[in-house]
Amino acid sequence: MLDFKTIKGFSGLSEPLIDEINRCGKIRIYPKNSVAMDSDDTLKKFYIILEGCIKVYQYNPQNNKEQTLYLLKEKDFFDVLTVLDGKEHEVMTQTLETSRVLELPIEKVRVWIDKYPAFNRAFFPYLAKQFREVEELSINLSLYDTSTRLMKLLLKNIDHSVKGLPLLQKLSHEEIASMIGTARQVVNRELQALKKEGIIDIKRKSITLNNLNKLIEKLSK
């Protein structure tokens, strides 16, 4: 049985709803670098990420370009759009590390949205958060150059309790490039430039922030 008190936004669920979720839910394990939930799956199922990291992206086979839309991490949902409109969401997924998810029948989720206010208090703020992330991605791709997009990504993923950038530690430069709509070689060049300025340090996949103030100052120019 899952402890929903550990899942952000779900601590206020009633015991009958928790029992129903535990009764209907199934745990799925997806190995690293594998396809996770596909668009056919999400017509029937809804997912809560319990562990791991799953990339949601679009791919154009004509030019071999890939754009990451967002990364699903612990406590994230997938797919909120299909829950609301019942339409196939044509995106692709790939696990960046072994991931454990809770799979729920999508029709049950729709019933819970109507029946349980506490479920709404978790579902709809998450929906708004995801809309904002996609809007931010669209604005960044349209209005900012690659260097600025990379610095904004670094700033967004700072954990002030530590010195590094935890989310980005797990990503290759190719994955970072996919998040900001560019090529791996460009990311390599921009990261080396930031390293030369003393803003970051790079060791393999590890990026350490050395000078937050300088990063903010550079972004404001």
Side-chain angles (χ1 to χ4, degrees):
M1 182 176 291
L2 290 171
D3 181 4
F4 280 88
K5 293 180 180 180
T6 66
I7 301 179
K8 186 178 180 180
F10 279 86
S11 57
L13 296 188
S14 65
E15 289 299 327
L17 177 54
I18 291 175
D19 290 342
E20 196 169 352
I21 290 173
N22 282 317
R23 185 170 62 253
C24 297
K26 296 180 180 178
I27 301 296
R28 301 291 186 195
I29 306 293
Y30 297 103
K32 182 178 179 179
N33 295 326
S34 67
V35 174
M37 310 81 68
D38 63 26
S39 54
D40 288 337
D41 291 334
T42 56
L43 285 172
K44 301 175 183 177
K45 305 295 182 181
F46 181 76
Y47 300 88
I48 300 174
I49 313 305
L50 303 177
E51 293 178 31
C53 184
I54 301 174
K55 174 177 69 173
V56 180
Y57 67 103
Q58 292 279 9
Y59 173 71
N60 185 346
Q62 294 181 339
N63 57 17
N64 202 34
K65 287 187 176 180
E66 180 181 298
Q67 176 63 56
T68 297
L69 302 177
Y70 38 85
L71 298 179
L72 300 173
K73 306 175 293 300
E74 183 183 358
K75 303 175 185 178
D76 282 335
F77 303 160
F78 191 73
D79 186 353
V80 293
L81 292 181
T82 306
V83 169
L84 295 178
D85 65 15
K87 296 180 181 179
E88 185 174 353
H89 191 185
E90 295 183 358
V91 293
M92 306 175 75
T93 63
Q94 180 186 0
T95 57
L96 301 183
E97 54 188 65
T98 298
S99 300
R100 186 169 68 100
V101 306
L102 175 64
E103 178 187 274
L104 298 164
I106 198 168
E107 291 303 328
K108 283 287 187 181
V109 173
R110 293 186 179 117
V111 170
W112 298 335
I113 289 173
D114 290 336
K115 187 176 179 180
Y116 296 104
F119 192 88
N120 285 345
R121 287 194 292 271
F123 182 87
F124 285 105
Y126 181 82
L127 176 65
K129 169 181 171 289
Q130 197 169 81
F131 282 166
R132 288 182 184 276
E133 287 184 358
V134 174
E135 180 182 56
E136 181 182 3
L137 173 63
S138 176
I139 291 171
N140 285 341
L141 291 174
S142 301
L143 301 182
Y144 298 106
D145 60 25
T146 304
S147 177
T148 303
R149 296 201 300 269
L150 176 60
M151 288 188 290
K152 285 169 69 69
L153 181 68
L154 295 176
L155 189 61
K156 181 180 178 180
N157 287 285
I158 290 172
D159 183 343
H160 293 280
S161 66
V162 296
K163 197 175 180 181
L165 299 155
L167 172 62
L168 301 184
Q169 309 293 32
K170 303 174 183 178
L171 303 180
S172 66
H173 291 181
E174 186 172 1
E175 294 293 351
I176 294 174
S178 179
M179 293 182 73
I180 61 173
T182 189
R184 176 179 55 81
Q185 296 88 337
V186 177
V187 166
N188 290 344
R189 183 174 67 242
E190 296 293 346
L191 287 174
Q192 290 301 324
L194 292 173
K195 180 180 178 181
K196 189 175 181 180
E197 293 183 58
I199 295 175
I200 63 171
D201 193 21
I202 308 169
K203 294 180 180 178
R204 297 185 180 180
K205 288 186 180 181
S206 176
I207 302 173
T208 302
L209 180 66
N210 291 334
N211 195 323
L212 175 59
N213 291 334
K214 197 169 182 178
L215 175 62
I216 295 172
E217 181 184 343
K218 190 173 176 67
L219 261 174
S220 65
K221 291 181 180 179

